[in-house]
Amino acid sequence: MLLERIYDEDLAQASYFIGCQAKGEALVVDARRDIQVYQDLAAKNGMKITAVTETHVHADYLSGTRELAAATGAEIYVSGEGGEDWQYGFEAERLLDQDAIRLGNISVQALHTPGHTPEHLSFLVTDGAFSDQPGFLLSGDFVFSGDLGRPDLLDEAAGGTDTRFAGAHDLFASLRDKFLTLPDYVQVYPGHGAGSACGKALGAIPSSTVGYERNFAWWSNYLEANDEEGFVEALLDGQPDAHAYFGRMKRENLQGPAILGERTPLAELATGDVATALAADEIGVVDTRHNTLVHEGTAAGALNIPAGNKAASYGAWAMDPETDQRPLVLLAPDSETATGMWDHLIRVGIDKVAGYITSLDGLPAYVPETLAPDDMAGFDAALLLDVRHMTEHTAGHIPGSVQLNAGRVLWHTEKLPADGVIVSYCQSGVRNSVAASALRRAGFNVVELEGSYAGWKHMQNA
């Protein structure tokens, strides 16, 4: 048996490739939308992807299940659990508790493990060529290394009302009746690692075991004492901010994400043509450089979504493709960077990219306004905005600031003053530049605090 973990640093998300060497067949679990990595793995190992599945209706990224099936002809399997409201809106085989997908001697058995979501499945893997007993659990967003999937996302991002309590009780039952009945040696491969907003204290190690979690995870004492109410209270306390785009991901993943098919390589565009389209408000420009370079000058109205390991996350904070249908033009140094950026953006459903430019020449120039920390006292601001996480704000903030997470601010502009200047900050300036560019594009007058909170704190300690 071949078991490969494919990890996306951007969204702290893991997908899995399970292959049977004897039959040359493979299954992919929780695929992302840029699917070449799975096709390359199959080709490298002389396998054909014959099945694709996912653990649940994801909130933090757009599923690549349908994309991969369309490209390979693989059979789609999804959860049939969770009740009427959680049935997928596209054609697929429905998996119920204890159902199995088979690849030669390999059995991939579905376990209904609700809590994070009502329909959630985990997959218990048995390598029949080695043993008749299961050895691996793909736990999705049920059990992480050192933590559990949060049960409050349906309230926070999908329009639910107090579903968190039922979810927390379901999670307790799933641990008791499913997870803790497994042998200690079963290796656990979760769907996320540190940095994901799907839990509050995820570990960075890529895997664990049932025994390790049983003995050392924060929740183990509550299960041992059968203290369900204490477990629920501890689980729900201190969960991080949920990003606003999660609601869109839930809707699109349940309905079935659009299939992109083979994408045409991005073309380099003439800046003169881009300037004309920009003046007609037919496109949007994305400056993919670091915020320090953006602050030296960018294009008027440009979003700052820096290329790199957080491009999908930042892109989903900075624009909503449901309400803004304008295609994007990426400012990038070369085709490779632009293509990599596009790969990240489609993971969160930002599909319309018209091409790229390598220069700002000919575009309307704009220099973002900034404010030095020692000039704050005499500056007349209508609002001092902290775009960090709530936990960061609680741990320490600039007096008088109002917290509104960068991943939520564009969807809660009613909380911002319609007139006057907004001074914004994050921890170091990167997230703030993303949020500030989005708010400027939405018509707000935003000044960025130089050095953000770290710069202000340094001045206080000087």
Side-chain angles (χ1 to χ4, degrees):
M1 183 182 79
L2 176 69
L3 175 58
E4 291 272 0
R5 174 181 181 259
I6 300 93
Y7 195 67
D8 175 14
E9 296 284 351
D10 189 334
L11 298 163
Q13 182 265 333
S15 51
Y16 293 91
F17 183 101
I18 302 171
C20 173
Q21 290 99 331
K23 289 200 70 175
E25 295 179 350
L27 161 72
V28 176
V29 181
D30 288 337
R32 67 192 193 215
R33 241 165 138 223
D34 49 316
I35 59 173
Q36 191 61 48
V37 62
Y38 312 111
Q39 294 171 299
D40 289 347
L41 261 175
K44 176 183 175 182
N45 291 280
M47 294 179 178
K48 176 177 174 58
I49 297 171
T50 58
V52 290
T53 189
E54 55 191 59
T55 53
H56 65 294
V57 181
H58 297 284
D60 55 323
Y61 71 101
L62 208 55
S63 167
T65 293
R66 296 183 74 228
E67 192 74 36
L68 188 55
T72 62
E75 186 77 38
I76 299 176
Y77 298 86
V78 296
S79 176
E81 298 282 2
E84 184 178 350
D85 291 342
W86 291 96
Q87 297 307 301
Y88 286 81
F90 54 89
E91 186 175 346
E93 291 291 322
R94 264 46 176 184
L95 292 171
L96 300 178
D97 187 51
Q98 305 301 317
D99 286 347
I101 303 169
R102 298 193 179 277
L103 304 166
N105 289 322
I106 301 170
S107 170
V108 181
Q109 184 180 39
L111 302 180
H112 184 213
T113 49
H116 176 66
T117 60
E119 82 295 348
H120 192 285
L121 300 177
S122 298
F123 292 105
L124 192 60
V125 182
T126 302
D127 180 4
F130 186 77
S131 170
D132 62 358
Q133 297 299 311
F136 313 90
L137 181 73
L138 306 188
S139 58
D141 287 20
F142 169 34
V143 175
F144 300 126
S145 294
D147 201 9
L148 301 170
R150 60 191 294 183
D152 63 318
L153 278 184
L154 303 187
D155 290 347
E156 293 296 318
T161 302
D162 289 340
T163 63
R164 67 189 70 203
F165 300 105
H169 286 287
D170 284 346
L171 201 52
F172 186 90
S174 293
L175 288 167
R176 179 192 62 209
D177 301 337
K178 296 287 177 65
F179 188 78
L180 293 178
T181 63
L182 298 174
D184 281 353
Y185 59 74
V186 171
Q187 297 180 52
V188 178
Y189 290 93
H192 290 290
S196 169
C198 291
K200 60 181 176 180
L202 282 69
I205 58 174
S207 65
S208 186
T209 65
V210 170
Y212 193 82
E213 298 302 311
R214 184 199 309 273
N215 285 286
F216 302 113
W218 67 263
W219 50 263
S220 58
N221 290 335
Y222 293 101
L223 269 293
E224 186 176 358
N226 198 30
D227 181 5
E228 189 165 348
E229 294 306 319
F231 169 86
V232 169
E233 182 178 355
L235 177 64
L236 295 178
D237 181 55
Q239 289 289 355
D241 295 327
H243 303 309
Y245 83 92
F246 283 6
R248 176 170 60 87
M249 296 293 95
K250 281 286 186 187
R251 292 192 301 274
E252 293 188 25
N253 280 327
L254 193 59
Q255 295 163 3
I259 296 172
L260 297 171
E262 188 172 352
R263 288 179 286 151
T264 303
L266 289 178
E268 183 174 359
L269 306 177
T271 55
D273 294 338
V274 172
T276 300
L278 189 61
D281 201 27
E282 296 173 346
I283 61 166
V285 172
V286 173
D287 193 329
T288 69
R289 299 174 300 163
H290 190 269
N291 63 295
T292 54
L293 295 175
V294 171
H295 287 167
E296 295 176 4
T298 185
L303 295 173
N304 179 210
I305 305 174
N309 283 342
K310 300 299 290 182
S313 302
Y314 293 155
W317 297 359
M319 73 167 297
D320 181 0
E322 285 188 326
T323 60
D324 189 347
Q325 298 292 318
R326 291 171 292 183
L328 300 176
V329 174
L330 310 177
L331 171 66
D334 49 49
S335 174
E336 183 178 359
T337 302
T339 300
M341 184 78 175
W342 193 19
D343 284 345
H344 281 252
L345 292 176
I346 66 170
R347 296 175 196 174
V348 289
I350 301 174
D351 301 343
K352 293 183 178 180
V353 176
Y356 72 98
I357 54 177
T358 59
S359 168
L360 291 169
D361 292 346
L363 300 185
Y366 176 76
V367 178
E369 189 175 351
T370 61
L371 178 69
D374 54 6
D375 291 334
M376 290 179 64
F379 193 85
D380 183 20
L383 177 69
L384 179 58
L385 179 64
D386 184 339
V387 300
R388 298 176 301 163
H389 299 303
M390 188 184 303
T391 51
E392 292 175 284
H393 182 81
T394 301
H397 58 269
I398 301 175
S401 62
V402 172
Q403 187 269 340
L404 185 54
N405 186 286
R408 298 176 67 84
V409 66
L410 195 63
W411 284 260
H412 293 280
T413 55
E414 76 282 356
K415 297 183 179 181
L416 306 177
D419 299 311
V421 178
I422 299 170
V423 175
S424 63
Y425 70 91
C426 64
Q427 186 65 25
S428 67
V430 177
R431 289 173 289 172
N432 187 38
S433 184
V434 174
S437 69
L439 289 176
R440 291 190 190 103
R441 193 172 186 231
F444 290 90
N445 186 358
V446 183
V447 173
E448 298 171 57
L449 184 64
E450 292 178 11
S452 275
Y453 181 73
W456 177 85
K457 191 71 173 176
H458 179 75
M459 184 191 73
Q460 300 301 303
N461 295 333

Short mmCIF file of all heavy atoms in Angstrom, two decimals, residues 28-59:
data_model
loop_
_atom_site.label_atom_id
_atom_site.label_comp_id
_atom_site.label_asym_id
_atom_site.label_seq_id
_atom_site.Cartn_x
_atom_site.Cartn_y
_atom_site.Cartn_z
N VAL A 28 -7.96 9.35 -3.88
CA VAL A 28 -7.53 10.62 -3.31
C VAL A 28 -8.62 11.11 -2.36
O VAL A 28 -9.81 11.12 -2.71
CB VAL A 28 -7.24 11.67 -4.39
CG1 VAL A 28 -6.89 13.02 -3.76
CG2 VAL A 28 -6.09 11.21 -5.28
N VAL A 29 -8.20 11.52 -1.17
CA VAL A 29 -9.11 12.01 -0.14
C VAL A 29 -8.85 13.49 0.11
O VAL A 29 -7.71 13.89 0.35
CB VAL A 29 -8.94 11.22 1.19
CG1 VAL A 29 -9.92 11.73 2.25
CG2 VAL A 29 -9.13 9.73 0.94
N ASP A 30 -9.89 14.31 0.04
CA ASP A 30 -9.83 15.74 0.34
C ASP A 30 -8.90 16.50 -0.62
O ASP A 30 -8.03 17.27 -0.20
CB ASP A 30 -9.44 16.01 1.80
CG ASP A 30 -10.56 15.67 2.77
OD1 ASP A 30 -11.72 15.65 2.34
OD2 ASP A 30 -10.27 15.43 3.95
N ALA A 31 -9.10 16.27 -1.90
CA ALA A 31 -8.27 16.93 -2.92
C ALA A 31 -8.52 18.44 -2.95
O ALA A 31 -9.62 18.91 -2.69
CB ALA A 31 -8.58 16.34 -4.29
N ARG A 32 -7.47 19.18 -3.28
CA ARG A 32 -7.63 20.60 -3.57
C ARG A 32 -7.88 20.76 -5.07
O ARG A 32 -7.78 19.80 -5.84
CB ARG A 32 -6.41 21.38 -3.11
CG ARG A 32 -5.13 21.09 -3.87
CD ARG A 32 -3.93 21.68 -3.17
NE ARG A 32 -2.74 21.69 -4.00
CZ ARG A 32 -1.52 21.51 -3.53
NH1 ARG A 32 -1.32 21.30 -2.24
NH2 ARG A 32 -0.48 21.56 -4.34
N ARG A 33 -8.15 21.99 -5.50
CA ARG A 33 -8.63 22.21 -6.85
C ARG A 33 -7.53 22.26 -7.91
O ARG A 33 -7.79 21.99 -9.08
CB ARG A 33 -9.41 23.53 -6.90
CG ARG A 33 -10.85 23.33 -7.32
CD ARG A 33 -11.64 24.55 -7.01
NE ARG A 33 -12.54 24.85 -8.12
CZ ARG A 33 -12.76 26.03 -8.61
NH1 ARG A 33 -12.13 27.08 -8.13
NH2 ARG A 33 -13.62 26.20 -9.58
N ASP A 34 -6.31 22.63 -7.55
CA ASP A 34 -5.20 22.53 -8.50
C ASP A 34 -4.66 21.10 -8.38
O ASP A 34 -3.93 20.77 -7.47
CB ASP A 34 -4.14 23.60 -8.25
CG ASP A 34 -3.70 23.69 -6.81
OD1 ASP A 34 -4.56 23.65 -5.91
OD2 ASP A 34 -2.48 23.81 -6.56
N ILE A 35 -5.03 20.26 -9.33
CA ILE A 35 -4.97 18.81 -9.17
C ILE A 35 -3.72 18.15 -9.74
O ILE A 35 -3.57 16.94 -9.64
CB ILE A 35 -6.21 18.16 -9.81
CG1 ILE A 35 -6.28 18.52 -11.30
CG2 ILE A 35 -7.49 18.57 -9.07
CD1 ILE A 35 -7.37 17.79 -12.07
N GLN A 36 -2.82 18.94 -10.31
CA GLN A 36 -1.68 18.34 -10.99
C GLN A 36 -0.83 17.49 -10.06
O GLN A 36 -0.27 16.47 -10.47
CB GLN A 36 -0.81 19.44 -11.63
CG GLN A 36 0.25 18.91 -12.58
CD GLN A 36 -0.35 18.16 -13.77
OE1 GLN A 36 -1.28 18.64 -14.41
NE2 GLN A 36 0.15 16.96 -14.04
N VAL A 37 -0.75 17.87 -8.80
CA VAL A 37 0.07 17.13 -7.83
C VAL A 37 -0.40 15.69 -7.71
O VAL A 37 0.41 14.76 -7.57
CB VAL A 37 0.08 17.85 -6.46
CG1 VAL A 37 -1.32 17.93 -5.85
CG2 VAL A 37 1.03 17.17 -5.49
N TYR A 38 -1.70 15.44 -7.79
CA TYR A 38 -2.23 14.08 -7.67
C TYR A 38 -1.99 13.30 -8.95
O TYR A 38 -1.66 12.10 -8.91
CB TYR A 38 -3.72 14.13 -7.35
CG TYR A 38 -4.06 15.07 -6.23
CD1 TYR A 38 -4.77 16.24 -6.46
CD2 TYR A 38 -3.65 14.80 -4.92
CE1 TYR A 38 -5.07 17.12 -5.43
CE2 TYR A 38 -3.95 15.68 -3.89
CZ TYR A 38 -4.65 16.84 -4.15
OH TYR A 38 -4.93 17.71 -3.13
N GLN A 39 -2.13 13.97 -10.08
CA GLN A 39 -1.87 13.30 -11.35
C GLN A 39 -0.40 12.93 -11.48
O GLN A 39 -0.06 11.87 -12.01
CB GLN A 39 -2.32 14.21 -12.50
CG GLN A 39 -3.83 14.43 -12.53
CD GLN A 39 -4.25 15.50 -13.53
OE1 GLN A 39 -3.85 16.65 -13.41
NE2 GLN A 39 -5.06 15.11 -14.50
N ASP A 40 0.46 13.81 -10.98
CA ASP A 40 1.89 13.52 -11.02
C ASP A 40 2.23 12.32 -10.12
O ASP A 40 3.06 11.48 -10.49
CB ASP A 40 2.70 14.74 -10.56
CG ASP A 40 2.66 15.87 -11.58
OD1 ASP A 40 2.25 15.64 -12.73
OD2 ASP A 40 3.05 17.00 -11.21
N LEU A 41 1.60 12.25 -8.95
CA LEU A 41 1.84 11.11 -8.05
C LEU A 41 1.39 9.80 -8.68
O LEU A 41 2.07 8.77 -8.58
CB LEU A 41 1.09 11.33 -6.73
CG LEU A 41 1.88 11.87 -5.54
CD1 LEU A 41 0.95 12.14 -4.37
CD2 LEU A 41 2.98 10.91 -5.14
N ALA A 42 0.23 9.84 -9.33
CA ALA A 42 -0.27 8.64 -9.99
C ALA A 42 0.68 8.20 -11.10
O ALA A 42 1.01 7.01 -11.21
CB ALA A 42 -1.66 8.90 -10.54
N ALA A 43 1.13 9.15 -11.91
CA ALA A 43 2.04 8.81 -13.00
C ALA A 43 3.37 8.27 -12.48
O ALA A 43 3.91 7.29 -13.01
CB ALA A 43 2.26 10.04 -13.88
N LYS A 44 3.89 8.89 -11.45
CA LYS A 44 5.16 8.47 -10.87
C LYS A 44 5.11 7.03 -10.38
O LYS A 44 6.10 6.29 -10.46
CB LYS A 44 5.52 9.41 -9.71
CG LYS A 44 6.78 9.02 -8.95
CD LYS A 44 7.01 9.96 -7.77
CE LYS A 44 8.20 9.52 -6.93
NZ LYS A 44 8.40 10.42 -5.76
N ASN A 45 3.94 6.62 -9.85
CA ASN A 45 3.81 5.28 -9.27
C ASN A 45 3.08 4.30 -10.18
O ASN A 45 2.75 3.19 -9.75
CB ASN A 45 3.09 5.39 -7.93
CG ASN A 45 3.92 6.08 -6.87
OD1 ASN A 45 4.80 5.48 -6.27
ND2 ASN A 45 3.65 7.36 -6.64
N GLY A 46 2.87 4.70 -11.43
CA GLY A 46 2.22 3.80 -12.38
C GLY A 46 0.81 3.44 -11.99
O GLY A 46 0.37 2.29 -12.19
N MET A 47 0.07 4.39 -11.46
CA MET A 47 -1.28 4.13 -10.97
C MET A 47 -2.31 4.98 -11.70
O MET A 47 -1.99 6.02 -12.27
CB MET A 47 -1.37 4.42 -9.46
CG MET A 47 -0.55 3.49 -8.61
SD MET A 47 -0.67 3.91 -6.85
CE MET A 47 0.35 2.59 -6.14
N LYS A 48 -3.55 4.54 -11.63
CA LYS A 48 -4.68 5.29 -12.15
C LYS A 48 -5.57 5.67 -10.97
O LYS A 48 -5.89 4.83 -10.13
CB LYS A 48 -5.47 4.44 -13.15
CG LYS A 48 -6.74 5.12 -13.68
CD LYS A 48 -7.44 4.26 -14.71
CE LYS A 48 -8.77 4.87 -15.14
NZ LYS A 48 -8.62 6.24 -15.71
N ILE A 49 -5.95 6.95 -10.91
CA ILE A 49 -6.86 7.40 -9.86
C ILE A 49 -8.26 6.95 -10.25
O ILE A 49 -8.83 7.43 -11.23
CB ILE A 49 -6.79 8.93 -9.70
CG1 ILE A 49 -5.38 9.35 -9.25
CG2 ILE A 49 -7.83 9.41 -8.68
CD1 ILE A 49 -5.15 10.85 -9.27
N THR A 50 -8.80 6.01 -9.48
CA THR A 50 -10.10 5.43 -9.80
C THR A 50 -11.21 5.89 -8.87
O THR A 50 -12.39 5.65 -9.15
CB THR A 50 -10.02 3.90 -9.75
OG1 THR A 50 -9.60 3.49 -8.43
CG2 THR A 50 -9.04 3.37 -10.78
N ALA A 51 -10.84 6.54 -7.76
CA ALA A 51 -11.84 6.98 -6.79
C ALA A 51 -11.38 8.26 -6.12
O ALA A 51 -10.17 8.45 -5.88
CB ALA A 51 -12.11 5.89 -5.75
N VAL A 52 -12.33 9.13 -5.83
CA VAL A 52 -12.05 10.36 -5.07
C VAL A 52 -13.15 10.51 -4.02
O VAL A 52 -14.31 10.19 -4.26
CB VAL A 52 -11.99 11.61 -5.97
CG1 VAL A 52 -10.75 11.59 -6.84
CG2 VAL A 52 -13.23 11.73 -6.84
N THR A 53 -12.77 11.02 -2.86
CA THR A 53 -13.75 11.22 -1.80
C THR A 53 -13.30 12.37 -0.91
O THR A 53 -12.20 12.90 -1.08
CB THR A 53 -13.96 9.94 -0.98
OG1 THR A 53 -15.07 10.10 -0.09
CG2 THR A 53 -12.72 9.60 -0.16
N GLU A 54 -14.16 12.74 0.02
CA GLU A 54 -13.81 13.80 0.96
C GLU A 54 -14.47 13.52 2.30
O GLU A 54 -15.51 12.83 2.37
CB GLU A 54 -14.21 15.17 0.43
CG GLU A 54 -15.65 15.32 0.04
CD GLU A 54 -15.90 16.63 -0.73
OE1 GLU A 54 -15.26 16.83 -1.80
OE2 GLU A 54 -16.71 17.43 -0.25
N THR A 55 -13.87 14.04 3.34
CA THR A 55 -14.34 13.74 4.69
C THR A 55 -15.61 14.51 5.05
O THR A 55 -16.41 14.02 5.85
CB THR A 55 -13.25 14.06 5.73
OG1 THR A 55 -12.78 15.40 5.53
CG2 THR A 55 -12.08 13.09 5.59
N HIS A 56 -15.80 15.70 4.47
CA HIS A 56 -16.96 16.51 4.84
C HIS A 56 -17.08 17.70 3.90
O HIS A 56 -16.22 17.89 3.02
CB HIS A 56 -16.87 16.98 6.29
CG HIS A 56 -15.73 17.92 6.56
ND1 HIS A 56 -14.40 17.55 6.48
CD2 HIS A 56 -15.71 19.23 6.93
CE1 HIS A 56 -13.63 18.57 6.78
NE2 HIS A 56 -14.40 19.61 7.05
N VAL A 57 -18.12 18.48 4.08
CA VAL A 57 -18.30 19.71 3.32
C VAL A 57 -17.37 20.76 3.92
O VAL A 57 -17.61 21.28 5.00
CB VAL A 57 -19.77 20.20 3.38
CG1 VAL A 57 -19.93 21.48 2.56
CG2 VAL A 57 -20.72 19.13 2.88
N HIS A 58 -16.31 21.07 3.20
CA HIS A 58 -15.26 21.93 3.74
C HIS A 58 -15.69 23.40 3.80
O HIS A 58 -16.48 23.86 2.97
CB HIS A 58 -13.99 21.80 2.89
CG HIS A 58 -13.40 20.43 2.90
ND1 HIS A 58 -12.69 19.94 3.98
CD2 HIS A 58 -13.44 19.43 2.00
CE1 HIS A 58 -12.30 18.70 3.73
NE2 HIS A 58 -12.74 18.36 2.54
N ALA A 59 -15.12 24.11 4.76
CA ALA A 59 -15.41 25.54 4.91
C ALA A 59 -14.23 26.41 4.53
O ALA A 59 -14.42 27.58 4.19
CB ALA A 59 -15.80 25.85 6.36
#
